[in-house]
Amino acid sequence: MVASQNHILRGCGYVLDAENAAETARLMLRDRLVNEVMGGVLPEGVEGRRLESMLDLACGPGGWVLETAQCYPWARVTGIDISETLIQYARAQAQVQGLRNACFEVMDLLEPFPLPGDSFDLVNARDLTGLLTPATWPRVVHEALRVCRPGGILRLTEFERPLSNGAAFTQLQELTRRAFQRTGRSFSPPSHHLGILPRLASLLRDAGCYQIQQRAYVLDFSAGSEAHEALCRGYEVELLLIRPFLLEAGVTTPAEFDDLYRRALVEMFNEEFAGLCYILSAWGKKVCPDPGLNGREAPVSWSA
């Protein structure tokens, strides 16, 4: 389901073929690696025993939902995604794992959620950069906060393009950044980053969150690291699947891409390869109404 050129140029739709079986496997693997480097599925300092209902936006094949449902069996954990194929996959995984508290529904993130307001103790959103644009980010964050319960938590986690000492691998990341910028998916002016990480806190603040916190993480996938083989295999899939997007965005040619891709594979599996993936998670709380303030709202304390 690669987006058409018109959709790509408008910055609509996921930039990869999300229903490709290799992409499904890549997303499940990356979810596991990211959960490990972040120390778990919940924001730092948040106690899971107080959370009874959680929502994951654009859940894909359901990696975060499945692990969260397993860790917190008393909580109802719901994942939503536009892909019926991925939702069916996630439902099958939940059934196989016996996770009756995991629920998955087909929904379009870019439309108003058909969910009642004040419904979830925590709303989680991870890696929406490939789907949203600077114009759609605020609308989605506002809608996510709407379905949070007063005192509930809204969490955004995003990634920058990875850094490495591989010349071809680095050039492919530069082409990806350029394609994002050319198709209106990047917050920043032309630069060497996508510009989303510095904006996470302000997106939460503009939506109305209080007590915003941030935490940065680094996932090392250098040769010899625990994540090297798995994450490099993941980038092998990601780079191949992003080829149509880069070509349609006009930032490369088939011959140039194929040459860079072959060289990048050699680099990644060289014993001297070094690579880092930077992750930022930001979260805040939805205010609670205080009758003593004549209908105004006051921030609640952060204690979970």
Side-chain angles (χ1 to χ4, degrees), residues 151 211 285-286 288 298-304:
Q211 298 183 353
K285 277 197 169 186
K286 182 175 180 177
C288 289
V300 296
S301 63
W302 179 254
S303 58

Side-chain angles (χ1 to χ4, degrees), residues 15 21 38 46 56 73 77 100 106 110-111 113 134 136-137 154 168 171 173 191-192 194 223 239 243 261 280 282-283:
V15 300
M38 294 176 68
V46 174
D56 189 33
V77 190
R100 296 184 178 181
V106 177
L110 299 179
E111 299 292 335
F113 305 163
T136 55
W137 263 105
L154 173 56
Q171 191 169 348
Q173 301 308 321
S191 67
H192 295 294
L194 298 176
L239 290 171
R243 183 181 188 270
Y261 183 71
L280 183 66
W283 63 96

Side-chain angles (χ1 to χ4, degrees), residues 41-43 46 48 50-56 64-65 68-69 71-72 74-79 101 103 119-124 149:
V41 293
L42 296 183
V46 174
R50 301 291 184 92
L51 304 177
E52 298 180 357
S53 181
M54 293 181 258
L55 175 68
D56 189 33
W64 185 89
V65 172
T68 303
C71 292
Y72 305 100
W74 61 85
R76 180 72 168 175
V77 190
T78 301
N101 60 326
C103 172
S119 300
F120 297 94
D121 296 308
L122 181 142
V123 177
N124 183 69
R149 289 175 178 160

Side-chain angles (χ1 to χ4, degrees), residues 157-185:
T157 302
E158 291 297 322
F159 309 77
E160 264 296 349
R161 302 309 301 171
L163 301 178
S164 84
N165 63 347
F169 184 87
T170 297
Q171 191 169 348
L172 285 170
Q173 301 308 321
E174 290 293 336
L175 291 174
T176 301
R177 281 188 279 264
R178 196 182 309 163
F180 268 68
Q181 290 157 359
R182 180 170 293 187
T183 58
R185 296 171 181 269

